[in-house]
Amino acid sequence: MRPTAARPRSASRLTAFVALAAVTPLVLTACGGGSGGDPDTLKVSFKQSTDNSVKVMDTYLVDIKEQFEKAHPGKKVELVPIKAPDAEYYTKLQQMLRSPKTAPDLVYEDTFLINSDITSGYLKPLDPYLAKWKDWEQFIDTAKAAARGEDGRTYGVPDGTDTRGLWFSKDVFAEAGLPADWQPRTWEDVLDAARTIKERVPGVIPLNVYTGKPVGEAATMQTFEMLLYGTGDGASDPLYDRSSKKWITAGQGFEDALAFVETVYEEKLGPDVSDALDPNVGTRVRGEWLPQGKLGIALDGSWLPQDWLEGSGHEWPEWSEELGLAAMPTQRGQAPGRVSMSGGWTWAIPAEAANPDLAFEFVETMQTRANAQKWYIANSGIAVREDVADDPAYVRAQPGIRFFTDLVENTHYRPAYPAYPKVSTAIQEAMEGVTTGDLSVEEAARGYDEALRDATDGRVVEK
Amino acid sequence: MTAAAPHTGPGPAKSPPGPSAPARRAPRRLLPRFLPLTPALVLLLLFLAGPIAYCVLIAFTDLQLTGQAEESFVGLENFRRAFGDEEFLNAVWLTLVFTVVSSLIGQNTLGLALAVLMRRASKPVRTLTGGIVVTAWVLPEVVAGFLLYAFFRREGTLNAILDWLRLPSQNWLFTLPILAVSFANVWRGTAFSMLVYSAALSEIPEEITEAAEVDGAGGWRRMWHITLPMIRRSIGTNLMLNTLQTLSVFGLIWVMTRGGPGGKSRTLPLFMYEQAFQNSLIGYGTAVALLLLLVGSLFSLVYVRLLRTEV
């Protein structure tokens, strides 16, 4: 029987109505609505380590959550971990921030991207909250600036910073006949030490410098900028000209930095190129090569010991005996003699957050002096609060903290403006080209110039 | 039941009295007849056509994931940019190599060969081979990616075997990345072709093959003059499905090489992902996606023509 053919018109209207009624909820779900957010539940998004055994942040946040829930009866904190490598974490976060339905109340933002996200309107200015918050005075000025937008407003509360330097294995150095209190004066000194290791300690990787796109921002910051900011006079920014608001094309310093990377991989002073371009090389450096004495020198960040702390899975309490620390020298030893880069993460409140007030109260809980100190020590962070930095308990808490905190004096911050992520990718491509040997230093530098023009809409200047 | 209705029931009474009647009634009848289809139609428009239309729209804007206050319409700029972008052209070239090597040549030929050989094999051999090949197909793409990563990497299985045979080993993922991922795709996707061809071969009537055999046709001649022409339709369908699937392979390559080293295995889907999500250029990435769609439809067009000339 054909139901529709001979039906009276009222019946077909009914069919239409039923069909519409059936479809409407679907349409509504697809287009909007949804649960806007529960006023009593605070959603906190953070970056979970891709290494399952590293639970530093998870443990810390659970502790804060308990404190917060105790102090705010009736309120619940929901921790929303995002387990991803850096680059994918940013993407995931940005997608969440776009819509009020998915935006959490509090997010963990890398200073690397914060300006870019501010420009997109993803974040809420925190000035009204900060004005009323006494602890804000304790934060050092450079750290406060890290989360300031071009509009002069502040969009994040930094939870520490980091610095970078050379880690070296004392055992490997002893075998190679190099001093245990090694402090290179120039780039050449670093390469010479690596050459000595290569010659005298076979089977050991002499020097690791991150390179190429698979490693992402780690290649740009831990390697390239550590080199680049050590060229020139050490006072002006070699990447971005703040007065004209233009990006600087590849000059001599840029090519020299690329040449350093080229030398490391051409002379086989670094890991095998295929290992160096493995996205997980960072995990191997921290979890395998350094603890097992398979790596002579590592140009890396101050946070490494967080992987070796008790309860982290790769416990290595002896690291402070077995590893030495040296500041990265400037190219030819010119003033100030050493160089470091700083970044760090901040807690920020999304523009679309359902409970911004509660979110800031959560930040206040995290940033009581005691909790802040606990966090710096737990994650091997460098304090950005003066009260904590001056506390002997903080300095004593971990070997190396003094060394890295002292580097803050000669550290540089990246020009983390909206084009920066693309500029960084262009740098990684240039590095990858010279690492694999596909490009000469000059070709890679020209490629960078071209990519830079693209990424910045031609706002470039030659220097 | 419906076909018989006019003869038995009240059907004739409803049937049109004159030749002019249907023309008048048709529009009124059409509406109720299509009404039950509306939910399906709406769903289709909403969930299939909608996103595609949105994609097309975005491809003409400079939408970014971050670093931009508001997007604007840029016309054909994204496409112009793609064709001026060496990396894009490189990705197109690699995509073609990957598709031709792994799908057209690899999966297709190997699938056919396996199907033919398995018809002659004893049952245990058939079951075992079929089982192994299908297992590779059933594995999720990412798992297959990790397996083949472990197979090809420097300390991997392949080099262990080569060492054992005293042959020179090398880092395959580094020296020949596009061939390594192509092989991975062959490994993973051959089962599908094998199943399609097995089904097609079993449709060929025994008598024809036997007649040819009696007439003195050898194995190759039978293959060329009887088997291939008779399964032509399956070849076309299989090529089309294989190609479209291969064009969109992402996870396998991402896991094995991430498109590296130096972009030597960066096919269009990876290029698209990098532009959209790593460089935050959603607009440009979407434009590349549309171009990928174009490549797919070009291949499909060729196969559809191939199908049409038959029978």
Side-chain angles (χ1 to χ4, degrees), chain A residues 125-423:
Chain A
L126 302 181
D127 303 68
Y129 297 110
L130 296 173
K132 281 182 266 170
W133 185 38
K134 265 201 271 152
D135 285 37
W136 189 233
E137 291 163 17
Q138 292 293 343
F139 285 75
I140 56 174
D141 287 340
T142 43
K144 283 179 176 174
R148 200 175 290 148
E150 282 172 303
D151 59 4
R153 291 190 284 186
T154 305
Y155 289 80
V157 174
D159 73 337
T161 187
D162 44 36
T163 50
R164 285 145 179 81
L166 294 159
W167 302 74
F168 60 92
S169 162
K170 290 183 184 166
D171 282 352
V172 173
F173 267 50
E175 244 184 283
L178 291 161
D181 59 348
W182 182 62
Q183 175 55 63
R185 307 256 162 257
T186 62
W187 288 2
E188 210 48 41
D189 288 356
V190 178
L191 291 173
D192 280 341
R195 289 181 186 120
T196 311
I197 295 171
K198 188 185 175 209
E199 199 185 299
R200 299 194 192 155
V201 197
V204 161
I205 301 163
L207 166 68
N208 179 62
V209 292
Y210 296 114
T211 183
K213 277 173 78 175
V215 200
E217 178 62 7
T220 314
M221 199 173 180
Q222 265 84 274
T223 304
F224 194 80
E225 290 169 346
M226 284 294 283
L227 292 162
L228 181 65
Y229 282 77
T231 64
D233 58 6
S236 54
D237 192 315
L239 270 183
Y240 185 76
D241 182 44
R242 277 167 222 256
S243 58
S244 64
K245 295 199 171 175
K246 282 181 175 171
W247 293 84
I248 300 167
T249 54
Q252 190 58 48
F254 195 98
E255 290 188 8
D256 290 348
L258 278 180
F260 184 97
V261 176
E262 186 186 46
T263 307
V264 169
Y265 287 96
E266 201 177 54
E267 292 187 21
K268 301 202 182 307
L269 302 174
D272 189 273
V273 176
S274 59
D275 288 329
L277 294 177
D278 183 328
N280 299 314
V281 64
T283 312
R284 292 185 79 183
V285 168
R286 299 188 296 268
E288 201 180 306
W289 293 344
L290 277 176
Q292 294 172 9
K294 287 184 184 164
L295 176 59
I297 311 166
L299 179 53
D300 217 315
S302 54
W303 57 85
L304 292 200
Q306 75 166 276
D307 280 35
W308 305 324
L309 293 175
E310 223 170 296
S312 65
H314 313 282
E315 282 172 31
W316 187 28
E318 310 82 34
W319 75 264
S320 57
E321 322 271 298
E322 295 178 22
L323 292 183
L325 287 164
M328 180 68 190
T330 50
Q331 185 177 11
R332 295 184 189 83
Q334 72 268 43
R338 50 186 202 165
V339 59
S340 173
M341 296 298 299
S342 282
W345 292 69
T346 64
W347 286 101
I349 301 179
E352 305 279 10
N355 305 307
D357 297 349
L358 212 55
F360 196 79
E361 283 173 45
F362 192 80
V363 174
E364 289 179 345
T365 311
M366 280 194 280
Q367 288 292 336
T368 60
R369 186 184 155 161
N371 281 339
Q373 184 160 337
K374 217 188 286 177
W375 170 238
Y376 295 139
I377 293 169
N379 86 328
S380 312
I382 303 302
V384 288
R385 288 174 63 120
E386 276 159 7
D387 51 356
V388 179
D390 292 340
D391 189 332
Y394 157 78
V395 177
R396 268 199 314 272
Q398 196 172 282
I401 273 198
R402 169 97 278 157
F403 171 84
F404 284 110
T405 308
D406 285 349
L407 283 179
V408 170
E409 196 189 323
N410 298 110
T411 204
H412 303 265
Y413 282 83
R414 290 162 294 181
Y417 299 108
Y420 180 79
K422 278 173 251 165
V423 174

Side-chain angles (χ1 to χ4, degrees), chain A residues 117 120 122 213 274-275 432, chain B residues 65-67 149 154 171 262 274:
Chain A
D117 284 351
S120 301
Y122 292 158
K213 277 173 78 175
S274 59
D275 288 329
E432 191 165 318
Chain B
L65 198 55
T66 183
Y149 170 74
R154 196 153 43 89
N171 191 345
E274 279 186 10

Side-chain angles (χ1 to χ4, degrees), chain B residues 119-191:
Chain B
R119 274 176 75 76
R120 312 240 146 184
S122 63
K123 196 159 185 255
V125 173
R126 203 155 61 206
T127 318
L128 190 72
T129 323
I132 293 173
V133 177
V134 172
T135 308
W137 190 50
V138 170
L139 282 179
E141 199 179 9
V142 175
V143 178
F146 275 113
L147 273 177
L148 286 151
Y149 170 74
F151 179 73
F152 280 115
R153 66 193 286 250
R154 196 153 43 89
E155 297 91 5
T157 323
L158 178 57
N159 280 338
I161 297 173
L162 289 175
D163 277 345
W164 186 71
L165 293 173
R166 307 206 179 277
L167 288 170
S169 64
Q170 56 179 316
N171 191 345
W172 301 95
L173 291 173
F174 188 70
T175 45
L176 292 166
I178 192 70
L179 288 185
V181 294
S182 297
F183 176 85
N185 193 42
V186 173
W187 181 84
R188 188 176 128 74
T190 300

Side-chain angles (χ1 to χ4, degrees), chain B residues 58-78:
Chain B
I58 290 179
F60 294 95
T61 68
D62 62 354
L63 182 70
Q64 293 187 14
L65 198 55
T66 183
Q68 177 196 49
E70 50 197 43
E71 68 270 13
S72 56
F73 189 78
V74 293
L76 290 172
E77 170 62 25
N78 285 329

Side-chain angles (χ1 to χ4, degrees), chain A residues 1 4 12 23 26 88 91 94-95 98 116-117 119-120 122 213 273-275 278-279 422 425 432 438, chain B residues 1-2 32 35 42 63-69 149 154 171 174 254 258 262 264 266 273-274 277 279:
Chain A
M1 264 156 259
T4 51
S12 67
V23 170
L26 280 169
E88 279 143 51
T91 306
Q94 283 153 355
Q95 283 168 331
R98 284 181 92 86
S116 191
D117 284 351
T119 311
S120 301
Y122 292 158
K213 277 173 78 175
V273 176
S274 59
D275 288 329
D278 183 328
K422 278 173 251 165
T425 308
E432 191 165 318
D438 286 347
Chain B
M1 174 182 151
T2 42
L35 260 179
V42 170
L63 182 70
Q64 293 187 14
L65 198 55
T66 183
Q68 177 196 49
Y149 170 74
R154 196 153 43 89
N171 191 345
F174 188 70
W254 184 254
R258 295 223 173 182
K264 282 194 200 119
R266 193 195 289 135
Y273 176 84
E274 279 186 10
F277 296 113
N279 295 352

Side-chain angles (χ1 to χ4, degrees), chain B residues 24-303:
Chain B
R24 259 189 290 121
R25 270 191 199 175
R28 235 191 291 159
R29 252 201 220 168
L30 220 57
L31 186 69
R33 209 170 272 182
F34 277 104
L35 260 179
L37 286 179
T38 347
L41 205 66
V42 170
L43 287 177
L44 213 67
L45 285 176
L46 203 66
F47 293 108
L48 281 173
I52 294 176
Y54 186 54
C55 264
V56 174
L57 195 73
I58 290 179
F60 294 95
T61 68
D62 62 354
L63 182 70
Q64 293 187 14
L65 198 55
T66 183
Q68 177 196 49
E70 50 197 43
E71 68 270 13
S72 56
F73 189 78
V74 293
L76 290 172
E77 170 62 25
N78 285 329
F79 297 93
R80 195 196 56 75
R81 174 176 178 173
F83 286 105
D85 186 342
E86 252 173 63
E87 288 189 15
F88 170 79
L89 299 174
N90 178 48
V92 172
W93 166 244
L94 286 175
T95 309
L96 291 178
V97 171
F98 181 65
T99 309
V100 169
V101 170
S102 73
S103 167
L104 284 185
I105 300 176
Q107 293 181 357
N108 197 52
T109 327
L110 192 61
L112 181 59
L114 279 171
V116 170
L117 292 175
M118 272 167 65
R119 274 176 75 76
R120 312 240 146 184
S122 63
K123 196 159 185 255
V125 173
R126 203 155 61 206
T127 318
L128 190 72
T129 323
I132 293 173
V133 177
V134 172
T135 308
W137 190 50
V138 170
L139 282 179
E141 199 179 9
V142 175
V143 178
F146 275 113
L147 273 177
L148 286 151
Y149 170 74
F151 179 73
F152 280 115
R153 66 193 286 250
R154 196 153 43 89
E155 297 91 5
T157 323
L158 178 57
N159 280 338
I161 297 173
L162 289 175
D163 277 345
W164 186 71
L165 293 173
R166 307 206 179 277
L167 288 170
S169 64
Q170 56 179 316
N171 191 345
W172 301 95
L173 291 173
F174 188 70
T175 45
L176 292 166
I178 192 70
L179 288 185
V181 294
S182 297
F183 176 85
N185 193 42
V186 173
W187 181 84
R188 188 176 128 74
T190 300
F192 181 77
S193 301
M194 189 190 81
L195 294 176
V196 169
Y197 289 132
S198 293
L201 290 176
S202 66
E203 299 279 297
I204 299 179
E206 291 274 326
E207 310 89 73
I208 298 185
T209 323
E210 274 163 21
E213 230 165 315
V214 170
D215 287 347
W220 286 113
R221 270 189 92 124
R222 284 205 307 274
M223 182 79 188
W224 192 250
H225 290 291
I226 297 178
T227 315
L228 284 182
M230 292 199 76
I231 60 166
R232 232 170 114 187
R233 191 177 274 273
S234 300
I235 296 177
T237 314
N238 184 53
L239 276 177
M240 170 133 73
L241 292 173
N242 264 346
T243 309
L244 293 182
Q245 211 253 330
T246 299
L247 277 178
S248 60
V249 165
F250 174 81
L252 202 63
I253 305 180
W254 184 254
V255 169
M256 288 178 68
T257 65
R258 295 223 173 182
K264 282 194 200 119
S265 59
R266 193 195 289 135
T267 55
L268 274 176
L270 275 95
F271 178 76
M272 184 173 87
Y273 176 84
E274 279 186 10
Q275 294 303 329
F277 296 113
Q278 292 189 318
N279 295 352
S280 304
L281 301 171
I282 301 277
Y284 184 42
T286 318
V288 174
L290 285 187
L291 290 171
L292 180 63
L293 202 71
L294 199 73
V295 176
S297 24
L298 282 178
F299 271 105
S300 307
L301 213 67
V302 172
Y303 299 144

